[in-house]
Amino acid sequence: MKSQLKQWLSDPYIVLYVVFSYFIVFAFIVDSPYDIFWGVVRITLSYDILITDYVEVGGVGATLVNAAVLSLIFLTYMYKVHHKPSGALIMAFWLLSGFAFFGKNLINIWPIIFGGYLYARFRKESFDKYAVVSMLSTALGPAVTQVALLEYIPIVPRLIFSGVLGIFIGFIMPPIAQNVMNLHSGFNLYNVGFAAGLVSILLHILVTNIGGNDIVPVFIWNTDNKLVLTVFMLILFAFMIFVGWLCGEDHKQNLKRLLKRTGQAPSDYYADYGTIAYINMGILGLFTTALMLAINSDINGPIVGSIFTVVGFGTFGKHIRNVWPVMLGCLLAGGFWHVFDGTNPSSAIAILLVSCLAPVAGRYGFVWGIIAGFVHLFVAINVVAFSGGFNLYNNGLAAGFVVLFMVPLLRTVYDS
């Protein structure tokens, strides 16, 4: 029985199917089918720009179903085309499902995915090569929704324009993401977030100046489901640790080797250490959940999605040793600037997503990691105004600016 279960769970596709099936089961435990259905409808019709908490819009059950169905559709496609499992692929699915808690829904991502497919056809290459970056490019899904809901344009033209915009975004994101990697040299793990941020700045300028439509800030934030979502995550992260322990080999030594990595991208922990990476994911999940509880943060859609982002990168660059310094720096910055409060949305999300700067701490030590995290909070809180909330990976954009200034100086001092 144990050997059969081990063989079954050794396939990362099976693990992902189990994870997203768990979402659906949990959803129907906490909510009724009626509430879930209408909750999904409300989620699909919401504006989506930062910060739009789907738990507040549609309820816990509907949010879980939105995340699960969205992920299962694309997971089935990747499985059918025999896409090779990798740390990047696993990470992308955790981000896809995580941001389906606040910004990605069953409608707004598909034009972007189709744009990525058209780019692959234009290049006369397999979409398989661009599938991961296309999944991550759905960070700009709110831009698609925003155009689709412009009230001063007739419904048919605006839906057409919305779809065309999404396809255009999906088409241009792969080459942009590939080239911005050269700007930060892998020290910003949210590479596509940085690329999407640059595109979102341009989109924001066009919409507000050419379209004459000011983007109204959105703040939808749930405060009522802390216990149920905490239980949901704890079960999930315990499952990941169990799978890693059951299917992994030489657990202690491989985990020790993983924890010595700097995290500088590309760092595919799944390719190098197999299912031991799941243990790393589970540890990160438990650590970040405990951290949010310790600072008395709300646990809702944006917080769960941000925790999932940290966990997803547990296969691609993050581990407990390189994330804690930048998170500590962000905490210290919050206290210094008097903005820190466990219930402050911007600071709470930034404390989690600043972990994209983990390679700075991994390469140059915890002191520079703390400094990077300290600076990041100020940038992240202010840079969202430039993108109009179109880019769900706002912290990826902020981290890109931090790295552009810090890393050249660090390299001059330490690598010359």
Side-chain angles (χ1 to χ4, degrees):
M1 178 66 179
K2 180 180 177 179
S3 60
Q4 186 177 4
L5 183 62
K6 179 178 179 179
Q7 182 179 5
W8 189 55
L9 292 175
S10 294
D11 184 344
Y13 280 106
I14 297 298
V15 174
L16 288 169
Y17 270 116
V18 172
V19 166
F20 299 134
S21 297
Y22 165 67
F23 283 26
I24 295 175
V25 171
F26 197 93
F28 281 92
I29 290 174
V30 299
D31 274 331
S32 69
Y34 177 87
D35 289 337
I36 290 172
F37 174 80
W38 288 111
V40 170
V41 171
R42 290 193 297 273
I43 286 171
T44 304
L45 297 177
S46 65
Y47 271 91
D48 304 325
I49 62 174
L50 287 176
I51 299 171
T52 302
D53 184 351
Y54 284 169
V55 172
E56 181 69 17
V57 173
V60 172
T63 303
L64 289 170
V65 168
N66 177 65
V69 174
L70 190 67
S71 302
L72 286 169
I73 292 172
F74 208 74
L75 179 64
T76 301
Y77 168 79
M78 299 294 272
Y79 179 76
K80 291 292 185 181
V81 299
H82 306 289
H83 186 99
K84 182 181 178 180
S86 65
L89 179 70
I90 296 169
M91 170 271 292
F93 272 107
W94 278 78
L95 263 67
L96 184 65
S97 63
F99 281 89
F101 280 73
F102 68 120
K104 299 181 184 181
N105 60 48
L106 293 167
I107 300 297
N108 66 9
I109 73 161
W110 300 115
I112 297 174
I113 297 291
F114 185 58
Y117 170 78
L118 291 180
Y119 178 76
R121 293 296 300 269
F122 174 77
R123 297 278 299 177
K124 295 181 172 58
E125 296 176 299
S126 170
F127 177 59
D128 191 59
K129 181 178 178 179
Y130 302 101
V132 169
V133 71
S134 292
M135 290 171 64
L136 297 175
S137 298
T138 56
L140 290 168
V144 176
T145 304
Q146 182 72 22
V147 172
L149 296 178
L150 291 176
E151 295 180 355
Y152 61 86
I153 299 176
I155 185 169
V156 174
R158 75 184 188 226
L159 290 178
I160 293 173
F161 182 54
S162 172
V164 170
L165 175 64
I167 292 170
F168 175 73
I169 290 170
F171 191 90
I172 66 172
M173 278 298 296
I176 294 175
Q178 182 178 3
N179 282 277
V180 297
M181 176 69 82
N182 299 325
L183 296 177
H184 58 78
S185 303
F187 283 95
N188 176 11
L189 292 176
Y190 302 162
N191 178 63
V192 176
F194 185 36
L198 298 177
V199 173
S200 68
I201 292 173
L202 177 61
L203 291 175
H204 185 212
I205 292 171
L206 293 175
V207 169
T208 54
N209 289 278
I210 298 176
N213 182 58
D214 291 330
I215 305 301
V216 179
V218 173
F219 178 67
I220 301 174
W221 185 263
N222 181 265
T223 61
D224 301 327
N225 292 280
K226 191 170 189 173
L227 177 60
V228 67
L229 288 171
T230 299
V231 171
F232 163 74
M233 289 192 293
L234 292 179
I235 294 172
L236 180 58
F237 301 145
F239 170 73
M240 296 306 295
I241 293 174
F242 168 74
V243 174
W245 170 81
L246 177 68
C247 302
E249 297 179 357
D250 199 8
H251 305 77
K252 186 176 180 179
Q253 290 303 316
N254 276 323
L255 191 58
K256 187 182 295 185
R257 294 188 190 101
L258 187 155
L259 293 174
K260 290 181 179 179
R261 299 282 291 272
T262 66
Q264 186 176 352
S267 292
D268 191 331
Y269 295 160
Y270 180 80
D272 295 337
Y273 308 106
T275 56
I276 296 299
Y278 294 156
I279 298 178
N280 184 49
M281 294 171 73
I283 292 171
L284 286 170
L286 295 176
F287 169 72
T288 48
T289 303
L291 177 61
M292 290 295 101
L293 294 174
I295 65 175
N296 195 32
S297 169
D298 294 313
I299 305 295
N300 53 21
I303 295 299
V304 172
S306 299
I307 289 174
F308 275 22
T309 300
V310 181
V311 172
F313 274 92
T315 64
F316 204 73
K318 297 181 185 180
H319 52 70
I320 193 71
R321 289 183 63 182
N322 65 7
V323 301
W324 76 260
V326 292
M327 288 184 174
L328 177 59
C330 208
L331 278 164
L332 293 174
F336 177 83
W337 201 25
H338 305 294
V339 300
F340 176 70
D341 178 346
T343 60
N344 183 297
S346 297
S347 60
I349 293 172
I351 288 163
L352 293 166
L353 297 183
V354 70
S355 53
C356 63
L357 291 171
V360 175
R363 178 71 177 272
Y364 296 109
F366 73 92
V367 172
W368 285 111
I370 291 172
I371 294 171
F374 190 95
V375 174
H376 176 88
L377 178 63
F378 301 114
V379 179
I381 287 176
N382 288 281
V383 79
V384 67
F386 296 104
S387 63
F390 287 162
N391 177 25
L392 294 173
Y393 305 162
N394 178 63
N395 280 268
L397 174 61
F401 290 133
V402 173
V403 166
L404 285 178
F405 284 96
M406 283 193 65
V407 170
L409 298 176
L410 291 173
R411 282 182 159 173
T412 299
V413 174
Y414 292 99
D415 299 341
S416 58

